[in-house]
Amino acid sequence: MKLSVEISKYPLHSDYIPFIKDFIDRLNQHEGLQVLTNTMSTQVFGDYDLVMRVLTEEIKRSHEQFGKAVFVCKFIGGDLSPEA
């Protein structure tokens, strides 16, 4: 099964850009995911189990590394990527 996720990260820190950039850079290191970023959100597409595993790991890592942040996520079953 494929999964599409739209994520917005809101670090509770005045210098928020490096916190967001680090999260996006780490997502891009995972093979098997398609990651698209714009000024409002990041979209992740891939196999359901892979996407969920990666998000679990990377969101946890963000909290451990940088502290408090709000993640707003929309999960949509299926592949809604532009190439689909």
Side-chain angles (χ1 to χ4, degrees), residues 26 41-43 49 53 61 69 82:
R26 288 196 325 260
S41 65
T42 298
Q43 298 171 341
D49 292 331
R53 180 180 55 77
R61 185 172 170 184

Side-chain angles (χ1 to χ4, degrees), residues 62-81:
S62 284
H63 288 303
E64 290 172 343
Q65 234 179 331
F66 299 111
K68 295 179 182 172
V70 175
F71 287 86
V72 178
C73 303
K74 298 175 190 173
F75 297 87
I76 305 163
D79 184 353
L80 299 179
S81 66

Side-chain angles (χ1 to χ4, degrees), residues 5 14-16 27 36 39 45 50 56-57 59 66-67 69-70 76 78 80:
V5 182
S14 59
D15 185 25
Y16 58 89
L27 289 177
L36 302 175
T39 57
F45 308 95
L50 175 63
T56 298
E57 292 170 6
I59 290 172
F66 299 111
V70 175
I76 305 163
L80 299 179

Side-chain angles (χ1 to χ4, degrees), residues 2-63:
K2 297 292 184 182
L3 182 66
S4 301
V5 182
E6 182 179 63
I7 306 166
S8 297
K9 179 180 180 181
Y10 302 98
L12 302 179
H13 192 278
S14 59
D15 185 25
Y16 58 89
I17 298 290
F19 298 80
I20 296 169
K21 186 173 177 347
D22 180 75
F23 179 72
I24 295 167
D25 289 345
R26 288 196 325 260
L27 289 177
N28 277 301
Q29 292 176 3
H30 292 273
E31 259 185 61
L33 296 183
Q34 181 184 4
V35 180
L36 302 175
T37 304
N38 61 49
T39 57
M40 303 263 314
S41 65
T42 298
Q43 298 171 341
V44 181
F45 308 95
D47 179 72
Y48 187 97
D49 292 331
L50 175 63
V51 171
M52 294 303 288
R53 180 180 55 77
V54 168
L55 290 180
T56 298
E57 292 170 6
E58 297 302 350
I59 290 172
K60 180 180 179 180
R61 185 172 170 184
S62 284
H63 288 303

